[in-house]
Every structure is written in structure tokens, then in C-alpha cells.
Amino acid sequence: MTTVLKQAADARVASIDLAAATRAEKDRALLLMADRLVERAEDIVAANAVDVNNARDAGQTEAMIDRLTLTPARVEAMADGLRQLAALPDPVGDVVRGSTLANGLELRQVRVPFGVVGIIYEGRPNVTADAAGICLKSGNAALLRGSGSAFSSNAAIVAVLRKAVADTGLPADTIQLLDATTRDSVKELMRARGLVDVLIPRGGSSLIRTVVEESTVPVIETGVGNCHVYVDQSADLEKALAVTVNSKTQRLSTCNTAESLLVHADIADSFLPLVLEELALKGVTVHGDPRVANYSDDVVPATEDDWGREYLSADIAVAIVDSMDDALDHIRRYGTGHTEAIVSESATTNRRFAARVDAAAVMINASTRFTDGGEFGFGAEIGISTQKLHARGPMGLPELTSTKYIVSGNGHTRG
Amino acid sequence: MTTVLKQAADARVASIDLAAATRAEKDRALLLMADRLVERAEDIVAANAVDVNNARDAGQTEAMIDRLTLTPARVEAMADGLRQLAALPDPVGDVVRGSTLANGLELRQVRVPFGVVGIIYEGRPNVTADAAGICLKSGNAALLRGSGSAFSSNAAIVAVLRKAVADTGLPADTIQLLDATTRDSVKELMRARGLVDVLIPRGGSSLIRTVVEESTVPVIETGVGNCHVYVDQSADLEKALAVTVNSKTQRLSTCNTAESLLVHADIADSFLPLVLEELALKGVTVHGDPRVANYSDDVVPATEDDWGREYLSADIAVAIVDSMDDALDHIRRYGTGHTEAIVSESATTNRRFAARVDAAAVMINASTRFTDGGEFGFGAEIGISTQKLHARGPMGLPELTSTKYIVSGNGHTRG
């Protein structure tokens, strides 16, 4: 048995007790995890320094190094995240559906944890505490496969969390860190069907594609976003400008950032000069079709490639469309099913757009940036699903659960 | 582009209009589909005769041939199934969750169809009409890959259904039959990620395993059932006898039939003689552990293999356990997560069993045979999921939908 399979088997055993834990027991563990992180902040920062030095030696960019670096304040923020989780309701045990059947059988469909959740992620070490906490609160054992570049930090954090969990009487093996020095641990995790109930890849599109293609464990695909803003002929110009600029520039590197703008031909003369000027002021490069180029000399000609790009940078692809149906066709062709926005004052148009666009979230006269577990009021988010199976859109605690039917009778038999 | 990919692309286009269809439009189509099946029953039976003759020439068993054979009465039953679907509520458009956020954004999570559903099935041609109807009612285009042995029947049924759909103004391509003469169509379907939203394999365990292992399209795994009945020391003997015998013998070949019986040691002396006699009367062979063999000379010694078997025949594996936790361990080791039953008068024991057993359905003092969409009152069933992602247990119409967040603002931007 490989190390990963052994860890998965241990997680499976631990998950049985964790699934039966009460909310009070889980919250106690979360609060102690938070306290211990703060108490041990110095050790965690010291372990992090190893990763940071390695990153410097490897010639990483300052931006990368900043993302990797932990400070006492950042450890405190991780602890606060765990405390917030403790304050959230427990999805486990929620009765999703219930009835008494004609024969007197009492039927309840109840939320239960998945069991063992594997999370593969890149970059920041704070994800480690976050993912461990969300899994614990939802009653799931977590197998955490972080990036090699944060391994020392992650190991220090997980050691503290495991000790805290054990000290409250829950099994330490509900939180385990997998080897991040080779790709083998990812491969083994993807083949651990039967031991691992669901895999969540978080990170770049190539990681996600690999997991989706190769995993025999069920996968929840998260968030590549080529999000569009469509400005209809009926749009209010002020709202259209605010929504477009906010969707593109409020933060450049997130999956819910707008990457494409589609403008109805009938409003192009009045809207495009406004938005091109504003985007230029914000330092955004516009990659436009030939009609868009008529409105500004700064427009870079868009190639076919631009329409499908998730830039994650100060760039936007802009096209003029002759109808909303053309916009819908464009989105169908190039969209990633994440978030699509319309700006329009027409109730009929909004209704048709919302019904016909195929995406996890549809924004009507609102910024694409609102697709977020925090903004939606979920309190915690493990990622944004762009698949249709199980969970779609921001995933909070209930999305980390399955259900079980519990049927009570009195010796009932089927005739 | 292969034929299957072309059909999937056509289904995708058709699914856009179907997703926007109202319940009234879909019900009209279902009712016309039903009428046309009855009108064209003679042609369908004639097409079926081709399959039946081929099966006879191939030396199939009479049981297989009976399953394959269509009669006017069986065609009428298919039509009735479609009429029943028309009478069921439409899951599409149901608001699953909704709120107004602090900033005034109006959030709704609404049920939407998956889009394109692929169904791979074996055996009976009536599944064709059934699956097509369930997909249509839930707003999904269906790609149907039936068995080669029923291809002539399936082709005749699908031709009638497509014509009826088109005559009500919905796209015919919402129902398509895939080539069943080679395995290539299954392979292509499994790789059609992006065109097909979900695959549901229905049939033998080897088909299901292949699809689960090889598909890049998300899969809903259906129903292999090694279901257990656990008779606790606190059981009422009469209930225990009724539940055990019904679970095993009410129908032998279904996935919710009990295949194993676990008896608490403290009740073995009183219960085993009763149940062994009753099972013998019903012609059931008992594969027992050495302790069980003490109670009857007819007990066949159980091998390790017996504990994991889904017999689907007049056989049952029987073991004595020293505690409920031993029963839970046994089920954890050999169960398939389908249905597990307990017979016990102890509220504490029932509560612990229900919380700790990992299965789609838990029966407390009731037969395992109740795990069924019809029995649960769902009105329609596309299969019984034994996975934890998306749907678990009997799947009705809502389980064939995803959701979409629709967020309405007034020019809202994120600060």
C-alpha cells in the first residue's frame, strides 16, 4: 500500500467518528485549532521562512513570494477564518425532504458528510487551514495536497491543527497532508476510488484539466472563468459603465473577473466611447473586433484566441453584436459556464438572457465579481464549481455534503 | 466528427430550446408521444419481432426473450408511463434557495436542466420510452445507447417519439438513438465532455465499472446492491422474520434485494431456527458461517466470496455477529452503499445504526425492497444512485437537474 493509500485508509476510519460528531464537538475543535495557530504563530512563520528562502533561491517573482509569505497577522487571519466557521450552522443532519408514505413508512432525506474529501491546490499556505476547517465543519476527513513550494509551511500548520483536533477528542487523521514533493501523490489520490469520495482541484486550468481527465474518484471541477458582460441596446449607460468597469477592474486575477465585453450595435455609438475611455484610464488594454477599432486608435485587433482567453490581467476582449441572440451564441461558443452578466432595462430581454445563458451564475445589472460565497452570504467557500453535477457556483458547507435516506417502519414489508 | 459526436452536437443545440420550454409544452409532447406509441403499436411489435428472432437464432434463454418481447399490451404500458410523467410536477424553474442580500441584490438559485444526458442501458426496449420521457420532462436532450439485441425495437420506438416531439413544435433531436452495433458509440459517448453533461449507465456491474473508470463525462453510478439485514438482539422476532424474508424473496433479481443477513449472537437461538426454516420453505439456499451451520444441516459453508456477492438469485449469506458494531464493520467491508436494514426495538441502537452505516438508504424495521422511486413517491425513477456526488438513492425528476444562480441588481458593483 502506498503512503497516500494508507493515509486515505486512515482518513476513511477517522471519517466514521467525525461523521457522527455533534456540531458542538466540531466547533470546539475549530476554536481550539484557531487558538493553537495563534499560539504557535512563531513556529509557523519560521517553517514558512524555509519555503520563502527556497522560492527566492529559485528566482520566483516578488508577487509569488508575497503570496507565499506568512506573517503573524496572516496566521491570525487564518485563525479568524476558523472561528467564523465555528459560528456557521452545521449542514449535517439537515432534513432535505421528509414525508410519511401511504403505508405509514416515515421517510427522511438527511444531509450526511461525503466521508473523505481530497483537495489539490496550489500556492498560498492559508488555503491549508481554510480547507481543513471547511472539511471538518462539514464532517469530512480532509486529504490535503498542497504545492511543493509551500510544503514546509503546510506541514507546520497541519501538525498544529492535528494536535488541536486530537486534544478535543476527535481523530487527528481527519486532517492529513499528502506528500507534495512528487506528482505521484496526485496520481494516487486520483485512483483512490472507494477510499476517497470526492476530489476538488483548485488552481490553474492545466491542473484542473488533468484531474478531470484522469481521476476515477468523482471530481468537482472549479473555476476557470471567461466571464462576459453583455450591454444590451436597452441598457442604462451609467449602469453599463459601472458594471463593465467593476467587472473588469475591481480585481484582475479572479475567476469571476470579466474577460469579454459584448456591446449591442444599436448602443455602440453612445456606450463604446465612454467605456473605452474609462478602461484606458484604468490601464486596461482593449482587444477589439474591427468595428470596435473604429472607436479608438488604442484598440488592439482581437484574434480568435482572444475570445476564449481567461486573461487574469489588465486586458479585455470587446466585440459588437447585432442582437442579444448573437451575444448568446458568442457566449455559448467561448464561455466557460462561470458567470455571465447582462446590462439591460428590458424585463423581456433580461428574462430571455437568464433563461438561455448556460452558466453557474447570471448577473442582471450587477457586476460579475459578485459570484462569490462570501458575497452570496454563505460564510465559507471551498471554491466555485463550473460543472453541473452536484454543485454549481460558489460552494459552501452544504455543497460538501451528500444525503442519506432514513426510512422508519414497524416491520413493513413490500407486497 | 464521428456520428456520435455529431448527434451529441445536435442534441446540444436542441437542448437550448428544450430548456426554455414550458411545462405545458413538454406535457403536450409527452401525451402525443404516448398516443403515437399506441397508434403505431403494430409497427413497433413488428420491428421487435426482428430482435426476438435474432435472439432465438442466437440461442438466448426464454427468460431473456421474454424480457425482450413487446406486445400491444406492453406498448400500452410504455404509453401509460409517459402519461404518468405528464402528470408529475416540472422540476425546472423550482427556486431551491433565494434571498435578498444586504446590498439589495436579489439572489435566486433555480433548477435548470443539465442539457444533454447520455443513458447507456441493456435489455428491455421499454426503457427507451421511459428514459426518453424522463429526460424530456426534466428538460434534457437524451442520447440513448440501448443494447444491440433490442436495436430494431428501439429504432422503431425512437422514430415514433421523435415524430411526436417534432409535431408539437419541440426539436426532434431532443431524443436520439445511438448506434448499438459496436462498442465504439459507448467509447465516443464517454469522451464527449463538453457536449454531454452527464452519463448514466444502467445495467450490469461490468458496464457500470467501465463507464466509471473511463468516462471523462461526469457519471452517475447506479445500483449494484449487496444489501444487508441486521437483526439486533433487541429485535421483535415477528418483524425480523417478515423483514428478512420479504427483503430476500419478494423479488430475487433487483438491486434492493437483500443478499446478506447478520444476526446478533444473543438472539441467534430464537431467531435462526425460525428464519432458516422460512427461507428453506421459499427455496432459498443459505450460505452460512460455521456458527450458523450449527442451526441447520442445509447450510452451505460460506466462503469469503459469499460476503461480497450480489447473488440476484435464491441465495443468501448469513453470519452471526457479536455486536452491532461488528455488524457495522461487516457492512463497511462488504456493502455496496445501496440499502442496509436493521430490525431492532431499541431506539438507541436504531439511532446509532442509522448514523453510522454508510448507504444511500437505511431501513429501520422495514424491508430493503422499499428503496425505490415508486415506493418513495417520486412518480418516476431513472435509476438508483449508489454514489455520493449529486444524487444518492432513487433518482426522480429533480435529480436530473442542475441549478443556476440568477442575481438581479440595479447597476450593483463590488466595493
Side-chain angles (χ1 to χ4, degrees), chain A residues 72-104:
Chain A
R74 285 183 177 181
V75 173
E76 183 72 57
M78 282 162 43
D80 280 345
L82 294 173
R83 290 185 187 112
Q84 282 162 28
L85 279 169
L88 288 175
D90 185 349
V92 174
D94 273 1
V95 178
V96 176
R97 159 155 63 180
S99 61
T100 301
L101 304 181
N103 58 10

PDB file of all heavy atoms in Angstrom, chain A residues 72-104:
ATOM      1  N   PRO A  72       2.754  36.944  11.350  1.00  0.00           N
ATOM      2  CA  PRO A  72       1.836  36.704  12.479  1.00  0.00           C
ATOM      3  C   PRO A  72       0.422  37.209  12.165  1.00  0.00           C
ATOM      4  O   PRO A  72      -0.562  36.552  12.521  1.00  0.00           O
ATOM      5  CB  PRO A  72       2.486  37.487  13.620  1.00  0.00           C
ATOM      6  CG  PRO A  72       3.955  37.457  13.290  1.00  0.00           C
ATOM      7  CD  PRO A  72       4.025  37.551  11.792  1.00  0.00           C
ATOM      8  N   ALA A  73       0.322  38.332  11.462  1.00  0.00           N
ATOM      9  CA  ALA A  73      -1.008  38.863  11.126  1.00  0.00           C
ATOM     10  C   ALA A  73      -1.749  37.912  10.188  1.00  0.00           C
ATOM     11  O   ALA A  73      -2.959  37.702  10.314  1.00  0.00           O
ATOM     12  CB  ALA A  73      -0.875  40.240  10.473  1.00  0.00           C
ATOM     13  N   ARG A  74      -1.033  37.317   9.254  1.00  0.00           N
ATOM     14  CA  ARG A  74      -1.687  36.392   8.329  1.00  0.00           C
ATOM     15  C   ARG A  74      -2.089  35.092   9.034  1.00  0.00           C
ATOM     16  O   ARG A  74      -3.102  34.487   8.691  1.00  0.00           O
ATOM     17  CB  ARG A  74      -0.775  36.106   7.129  1.00  0.00           C
ATOM     18  CG  ARG A  74      -0.738  37.284   6.147  1.00  0.00           C
ATOM     19  CD  ARG A  74       0.097  37.012   4.911  1.00  0.00           C
ATOM     20  NE  ARG A  74       0.031  38.155   3.988  1.00  0.00           N
ATOM     21  CZ  ARG A  74       0.649  38.193   2.808  1.00  0.00           C
ATOM     22  NH1 ARG A  74       1.378  37.160   2.398  1.00  0.00           N
ATOM     23  NH2 ARG A  74       0.544  39.246   2.029  1.00  0.00           N
ATOM     24  N   VAL A  75      -1.294  34.668  10.002  1.00  0.00           N
ATOM     25  CA  VAL A  75      -1.677  33.481  10.779  1.00  0.00           C
ATOM     26  C   VAL A  75      -2.934  33.809  11.595  1.00  0.00           C
ATOM     27  O   VAL A  75      -3.855  32.996  11.698  1.00  0.00           O
ATOM     28  CB  VAL A  75      -0.511  33.026  11.690  1.00  0.00           C
ATOM     29  CG1 VAL A  75      -0.964  31.905  12.606  1.00  0.00           C
ATOM     30  CG2 VAL A  75       0.684  32.578  10.849  1.00  0.00           C
ATOM     31  N   GLU A  76      -2.965  35.011  12.142  1.00  0.00           N
ATOM     32  CA  GLU A  76      -4.155  35.460  12.890  1.00  0.00           C
ATOM     33  C   GLU A  76      -5.399  35.440  11.985  1.00  0.00           C
ATOM     34  O   GLU A  76      -6.488  35.030  12.411  1.00  0.00           O
ATOM     35  CB  GLU A  76      -3.893  36.872  13.428  1.00  0.00           C
ATOM     36  CG  GLU A  76      -4.986  37.476  14.291  1.00  0.00           C
ATOM     37  CD  GLU A  76      -5.088  36.827  15.677  1.00  0.00           C
ATOM     38  OE1 GLU A  76      -4.077  36.825  16.409  1.00  0.00           O
ATOM     39  OE2 GLU A  76      -6.181  36.338  16.003  1.00  0.00           O
ATOM     40  N   ALA A  77      -5.217  35.838  10.727  1.00  0.00           N
ATOM     41  CA  ALA A  77      -6.346  35.833   9.782  1.00  0.00           C
ATOM     42  C   ALA A  77      -6.818  34.397   9.515  1.00  0.00           C
ATOM     43  O   ALA A  77      -8.021  34.141   9.384  1.00  0.00           O
ATOM     44  CB  ALA A  77      -5.937  36.521   8.478  1.00  0.00           C
ATOM     45  N   MET A  78      -5.872  33.456   9.433  1.00  0.00           N
ATOM     46  CA  MET A  78      -6.247  32.058   9.267  1.00  0.00           C
ATOM     47  C   MET A  78      -7.081  31.593  10.455  1.00  0.00           C
ATOM     48  O   MET A  78      -8.095  30.901  10.298  1.00  0.00           O
ATOM     49  CB  MET A  78      -4.977  31.184   9.177  1.00  0.00           C
ATOM     50  CG  MET A  78      -4.280  31.213   7.821  1.00  0.00           C
ATOM     51  SD  MET A  78      -2.525  30.614   7.842  1.00  0.00           S
ATOM     52  CE  MET A  78      -2.642  29.175   8.863  1.00  0.00           C
ATOM     53  N   ALA A  79      -6.656  31.989  11.654  1.00  0.00           N
ATOM     54  CA  ALA A  79      -7.386  31.609  12.875  1.00  0.00           C
ATOM     55  C   ALA A  79      -8.796  32.212  12.864  1.00  0.00           C
ATOM     56  O   ALA A  79      -9.776  31.550  13.228  1.00  0.00           O
ATOM     57  CB  ALA A  79      -6.608  32.059  14.107  1.00  0.00           C
ATOM     58  N   ASP A  80      -8.883  33.471  12.425  1.00  0.00           N
ATOM     59  CA  ASP A  80     -10.202  34.110  12.356  1.00  0.00           C
ATOM     60  C   ASP A  80     -11.129  33.351  11.409  1.00  0.00           C
ATOM     61  O   ASP A  80     -12.336  33.219  11.657  1.00  0.00           O
ATOM     62  CB  ASP A  80     -10.065  35.558  11.857  1.00  0.00           C
ATOM     63  CG  ASP A  80      -9.620  36.486  12.982  1.00  0.00           C
ATOM     64  OD1 ASP A  80      -9.706  36.060  14.159  1.00  0.00           O
ATOM     65  OD2 ASP A  80      -9.178  37.611  12.685  1.00  0.00           O
ATOM     66  N   GLY A  81     -10.570  32.869  10.311  1.00  0.00           N
ATOM     67  CA  GLY A  81     -11.375  32.086   9.364  1.00  0.00           C
ATOM     68  C   GLY A  81     -11.964  30.857  10.041  1.00  0.00           C
ATOM     69  O   GLY A  81     -13.148  30.515   9.825  1.00  0.00           O
ATOM     70  N   LEU A  82     -11.168  30.196  10.872  1.00  0.00           N
ATOM     71  CA  LEU A  82     -11.656  29.004  11.585  1.00  0.00           C
ATOM     72  C   LEU A  82     -12.743  29.373  12.591  1.00  0.00           C
ATOM     73  O   LEU A  82     -13.733  28.655  12.751  1.00  0.00           O
ATOM     74  CB  LEU A  82     -10.491  28.294  12.282  1.00  0.00           C
ATOM     75  CG  LEU A  82      -9.441  27.684  11.336  1.00  0.00           C
ATOM     76  CD1 LEU A  82      -8.245  27.157  12.122  1.00  0.00           C
ATOM     77  CD2 LEU A  82     -10.053  26.558  10.495  1.00  0.00           C
ATOM     78  N   ARG A  83     -12.557  30.514  13.251  1.00  0.00           N
ATOM     79  CA  ARG A  83     -13.575  30.951  14.220  1.00  0.00           C
ATOM     80  C   ARG A  83     -14.895  31.270  13.522  1.00  0.00           C
ATOM     81  O   ARG A  83     -15.973  30.999  14.035  1.00  0.00           O
ATOM     82  CB  ARG A  83     -13.078  32.174  14.990  1.00  0.00           C
ATOM     83  CG  ARG A  83     -11.941  31.829  15.947  1.00  0.00           C
ATOM     84  CD  ARG A  83     -11.512  32.998  16.816  1.00  0.00           C
ATOM     85  NE  ARG A  83     -10.325  32.612  17.579  1.00  0.00           N
ATOM     86  CZ  ARG A  83      -9.111  33.122  17.402  1.00  0.00           C
ATOM     87  NH1 ARG A  83      -8.907  34.090  16.519  1.00  0.00           N
ATOM     88  NH2 ARG A  83      -8.093  32.700  18.116  1.00  0.00           N
ATOM     89  N   GLN A  84     -14.779  31.875  12.321  1.00  0.00           N
ATOM     90  CA  GLN A  84     -16.009  32.153  11.564  1.00  0.00           C
ATOM     91  C   GLN A  84     -16.726  30.859  11.179  1.00  0.00           C
ATOM     92  O   GLN A  84     -17.954  30.788  11.182  1.00  0.00           O
ATOM     93  CB  GLN A  84     -15.682  32.967  10.311  1.00  0.00           C
ATOM     94  CG  GLN A  84     -15.448  34.446  10.621  1.00  0.00           C
ATOM     95  CD  GLN A  84     -14.721  35.172   9.495  1.00  0.00           C
ATOM     96  OE1 GLN A  84     -14.825  34.785   8.338  1.00  0.00           O
ATOM     97  NE2 GLN A  84     -13.987  36.211   9.835  1.00  0.00           N
ATOM     98  N   LEU A  85     -15.949  29.831  10.845  1.00  0.00           N
ATOM     99  CA  LEU A  85     -16.558  28.543  10.512  1.00  0.00           C
ATOM    100  C   LEU A  85     -17.329  27.976  11.701  1.00  0.00           C
ATOM    101  O   LEU A  85     -18.411  27.406  11.540  1.00  0.00           O
ATOM    102  CB  LEU A  85     -15.483  27.535  10.091  1.00  0.00           C
ATOM    103  CG  LEU A  85     -14.996  27.648   8.657  1.00  0.00           C
ATOM    104  CD1 LEU A  85     -13.760  26.777   8.463  1.00  0.00           C
ATOM    105  CD2 LEU A  85     -16.098  27.228   7.694  1.00  0.00           C
ATOM    106  N   ALA A  86     -16.748  28.156  12.903  1.00  0.00           N
ATOM    107  CA  ALA A  86     -17.419  27.640  14.098  1.00  0.00           C
ATOM    108  C   ALA A  86     -18.780  28.317  14.283  1.00  0.00           C
ATOM    109  O   ALA A  86     -19.725  27.717  14.800  1.00  0.00           O
ATOM    110  CB  ALA A  86     -16.547  27.851  15.334  1.00  0.00           C
ATOM    111  N   ALA A  87     -18.884  29.555  13.834  1.00  0.00           N
ATOM    112  CA  ALA A  87     -20.134  30.296  14.027  1.00  0.00           C
ATOM    113  C   ALA A  87     -21.205  29.929  12.989  1.00  0.00           C
ATOM    114  O   ALA A  87     -22.374  30.275  13.141  1.00  0.00           O
ATOM    115  CB  ALA A  87     -19.852  31.801  13.958  1.00  0.00           C
ATOM    116  N   LEU A  88     -20.819  29.222  11.945  1.00  0.00           N
ATOM    117  CA  LEU A  88     -21.786  28.886  10.886  1.00  0.00           C
ATOM    118  C   LEU A  88     -22.619  27.667  11.270  1.00  0.00           C
ATOM    119  O   LEU A  88     -22.149  26.792  11.974  1.00  0.00           O
ATOM    120  CB  LEU A  88     -21.056  28.586   9.579  1.00  0.00           C
ATOM    121  CG  LEU A  88     -20.427  29.773   8.847  1.00  0.00           C
ATOM    122  CD1 LEU A  88     -19.649  29.286   7.631  1.00  0.00           C
ATOM    123  CD2 LEU A  88     -21.486  30.777   8.435  1.00  0.00           C
ATOM    124  N   PRO A  89     -23.857  27.588  10.766  1.00  0.00           N
ATOM    125  CA  PRO A  89     -24.674  26.399  11.044  1.00  0.00           C
ATOM    126  C   PRO A  89     -24.049  25.136  10.435  1.00  0.00           C
ATOM    127  O   PRO A  89     -23.334  25.206   9.439  1.00  0.00           O
ATOM    128  CB  PRO A  89     -26.012  26.717  10.377  1.00  0.00           C
ATOM    129  CG  PRO A  89     -25.815  27.931   9.554  1.00  0.00           C
ATOM    130  CD  PRO A  89     -24.567  28.607  10.006  1.00  0.00           C
ATOM    131  N   ASP A  90     -24.323  24.014  11.056  1.00  0.00           N
ATOM    132  CA  ASP A  90     -23.795  22.719  10.607  1.00  0.00           C
ATOM    133  C   ASP A  90     -24.785  22.134   9.597  1.00  0.00           C
ATOM    134  O   ASP A  90     -25.960  21.935   9.919  1.00  0.00           O
ATOM    135  CB  ASP A  90     -23.684  21.799  11.833  1.00  0.00           C
ATOM    136  CG  ASP A  90     -23.043  20.469  11.500  1.00  0.00           C
ATOM    137  OD1 ASP A  90     -22.861  20.156  10.309  1.00  0.00           O
ATOM    138  OD2 ASP A  90     -22.740  19.722  12.454  1.00  0.00           O
ATOM    139  N   PRO A  91     -24.313  21.848   8.371  1.00  0.00           N
ATOM    140  CA  PRO A  91     -25.266  21.288   7.400  1.00  0.00           C
ATOM    141  C   PRO A  91     -25.640  19.836   7.698  1.00  0.00           C
ATOM    142  O   PRO A  91     -26.703  19.375   7.274  1.00  0.00           O
ATOM    143  CB  PRO A  91     -24.502  21.378   6.072  1.00  0.00           C
ATOM    144  CG  PRO A  91     -23.056  21.351   6.456  1.00  0.00           C
ATOM    145  CD  PRO A  91     -22.979  22.028   7.795  1.00  0.00           C
ATOM    146  N   VAL A  92     -24.773  19.126   8.440  1.00  0.00           N
ATOM    147  CA  VAL A  92     -25.000  17.695   8.677  1.00  0.00           C
ATOM    148  C   VAL A  92     -26.247  17.497   9.539  1.00  0.00           C
ATOM    149  O   VAL A  92     -26.405  18.146  10.567  1.00  0.00           O
ATOM    150  CB  VAL A  92     -23.769  17.046   9.350  1.00  0.00           C
ATOM    151  CG1 VAL A  92     -24.054  15.602   9.730  1.00  0.00           C
ATOM    152  CG2 VAL A  92     -22.566  17.144   8.427  1.00  0.00           C
ATOM    153  N   GLY A  93     -27.125  16.630   9.092  1.00  0.00           N
ATOM    154  CA  GLY A  93     -28.349  16.361   9.832  1.00  0.00           C
ATOM    155  C   GLY A  93     -29.548  17.152   9.344  1.00  0.00           C
ATOM    156  O   GLY A  93     -30.684  16.845   9.720  1.00  0.00           O
ATOM    157  N   ASP A  94     -29.306  18.157   8.508  1.00  0.00           N
ATOM    158  CA  ASP A  94     -30.433  18.884   7.921  1.00  0.00           C
ATOM    159  C   ASP A  94     -31.349  17.906   7.193  1.00  0.00           C
ATOM    160  O   ASP A  94     -30.870  17.051   6.438  1.00  0.00           O
ATOM    161  CB  ASP A  94     -29.938  19.905   6.876  1.00  0.00           C
ATOM    162  CG  ASP A  94     -29.585  21.241   7.502  1.00  0.00           C
ATOM    163  OD1 ASP A  94     -29.697  21.359   8.737  1.00  0.00           O
ATOM    164  OD2 ASP A  94     -29.196  22.157   6.757  1.00  0.00           O
ATOM    165  N   VAL A  95     -32.633  18.032   7.416  1.00  0.00           N
ATOM    166  CA  VAL A  95     -33.584  17.197   6.675  1.00  0.00           C
ATOM    167  C   VAL A  95     -33.952  17.925   5.386  1.00  0.00           C
ATOM    168  O   VAL A  95     -34.561  18.989   5.410  1.00  0.00           O
ATOM    169  CB  VAL A  95     -34.836  16.883   7.511  1.00  0.00           C
ATOM    170  CG1 VAL A  95     -35.827  16.060   6.691  1.00  0.00           C
ATOM    171  CG2 VAL A  95     -34.443  16.117   8.767  1.00  0.00           C
ATOM    172  N   VAL A  96     -33.527  17.357   4.270  1.00  0.00           N
ATOM    173  CA  VAL A  96     -33.722  17.978   2.967  1.00  0.00           C
ATOM    174  C   VAL A  96     -35.149  17.746   2.484  1.00  0.00           C
ATOM    175  O   VAL A  96     -35.759  18.595   1.838  1.00  0.00           O
ATOM    176  CB  VAL A  96     -32.718  17.396   1.952  1.00  0.00           C
ATOM    177  CG1 VAL A  96     -32.960  17.946   0.568  1.00  0.00           C
ATOM    178  CG2 VAL A  96     -31.294  17.656   2.400  1.00  0.00           C
ATOM    179  N   ARG A  97     -35.665  16.577   2.789  1.00  0.00           N
ATOM    180  CA  ARG A  97     -37.009  16.204   2.345  1.00  0.00           C
ATOM    181  C   ARG A  97     -37.548  15.206   3.349  1.00  0.00           C
ATOM    182  O   ARG A  97     -36.774  14.446   3.931  1.00  0.00           O
ATOM    183  CB  ARG A  97     -36.857  15.597   0.950  1.00  0.00           C
ATOM    184  CG  ARG A  97     -37.947  14.722   0.450  1.00  0.00           C
ATOM    185  CD  ARG A  97     -38.012  14.672  -1.079  1.00  0.00           C
ATOM    186  NE  ARG A  97     -36.832  14.099  -1.704  1.00  0.00           N
ATOM    187  CZ  ARG A  97     -36.699  13.962  -3.031  1.00  0.00           C
ATOM    188  NH1 ARG A  97     -37.654  14.360  -3.851  1.00  0.00           N
ATOM    189  NH2 ARG A  97     -35.606  13.444  -3.545  1.00  0.00           N
ATOM    190  N   GLY A  98     -38.809  15.197   3.579  1.00  0.00           N
ATOM    191  CA  GLY A  98     -39.378  14.238   4.515  1.00  0.00           C
ATOM    192  C   GLY A  98     -40.856  14.062   4.272  1.00  0.00           C
ATOM    193  O   GLY A  98     -41.532  15.004   3.844  1.00  0.00           O
ATOM    194  N   SER A  99     -41.344  12.865   4.494  1.00  0.00           N
ATOM    195  CA  SER A  99     -42.769  12.628   4.326  1.00  0.00           C
ATOM    196  C   SER A  99     -43.146  11.320   5.005  1.00  0.00           C
ATOM    197  O   SER A  99     -42.270  10.526   5.362  1.00  0.00           O
ATOM    198  CB  SER A  99     -43.141  12.550   2.838  1.00  0.00           C
ATOM    199  OG  SER A  99     -42.446  11.479   2.226  1.00  0.00           O
ATOM    200  N   THR A 100     -44.432  11.126   5.214  1.00  0.00           N
ATOM    201  CA  THR A 100     -44.915   9.825   5.660  1.00  0.00           C
ATOM    202  C   THR A 100     -45.640   9.205   4.477  1.00  0.00           C
ATOM    203  O   THR A 100     -46.555   9.812   3.909  1.00  0.00           O
ATOM    204  CB  THR A 100     -45.861   9.976   6.864  1.00  0.00           C
ATOM    205  OG1 THR A 100     -45.144  10.631   7.920  1.00  0.00           O
ATOM    206  CG2 THR A 100     -46.326   8.610   7.360  1.00  0.00           C
ATOM    207  N   LEU A 101     -45.182   8.029   4.069  1.00  0.00           N
ATOM    208  CA  LEU A 101     -45.755   7.391   2.885  1.00  0.00           C
ATOM    209  C   LEU A 101     -47.134   6.810   3.220  1.00  0.00           C
ATOM    210  O   LEU A 101     -47.515   6.698   4.390  1.00  0.00           O
ATOM    211  CB  LEU A 101     -44.807   6.303   2.379  1.00  0.00           C
ATOM    212  CG  LEU A 101     -43.377   6.778   2.073  1.00  0.00           C
ATOM    213  CD1 LEU A 101     -42.514   5.630   1.561  1.00  0.00           C
ATOM    214  CD2 LEU A 101     -43.392   7.915   1.038  1.00  0.00           C
ATOM    215  N   ALA A 102     -47.865   6.465   2.169  1.00  0.00           N
ATOM    216  CA  ALA A 102     -49.231   5.963   2.350  1.00  0.00           C
ATOM    217  C   ALA A 102     -49.277   4.744   3.270  1.00  0.00           C
ATOM    218  O   ALA A 102     -50.246   4.546   4.013  1.00  0.00           O
ATOM    219  CB  ALA A 102     -49.832   5.619   0.984  1.00  0.00           C
ATOM    220  N   ASN A 103     -48.230   3.939   3.250  1.00  0.00           N
ATOM    221  CA  ASN A 103     -48.208   2.725   4.080  1.00  0.00           C
ATOM    222  C   ASN A 103     -47.700   2.992   5.492  1.00  0.00           C
ATOM    223  O   ASN A 103     -47.526   2.060   6.273  1.00  0.00           O
ATOM    224  CB  ASN A 103     -47.360   1.647   3.395  1.00  0.00           C
ATOM    225  CG  ASN A 103     -45.930   2.129   3.140  1.00  0.00           C
ATOM    226  OD1 ASN A 103     -45.527   3.181   3.634  1.00  0.00           O
ATOM    227  ND2 ASN A 103     -45.161   1.374   2.385  1.00  0.00           N
ATOM    228  N   GLY A 104     -47.464   4.251   5.821  1.00  0.00           N
ATOM    229  CA  GLY A 104     -47.022   4.597   7.171  1.00  0.00           C
ATOM    230  C   GLY A 104     -45.514   4.676   7.341  1.00  0.00           C
ATOM    231  O   GLY A 104     -45.039   5.090   8.397  1.00  0.00           O
TER     232      GLY A 104
END
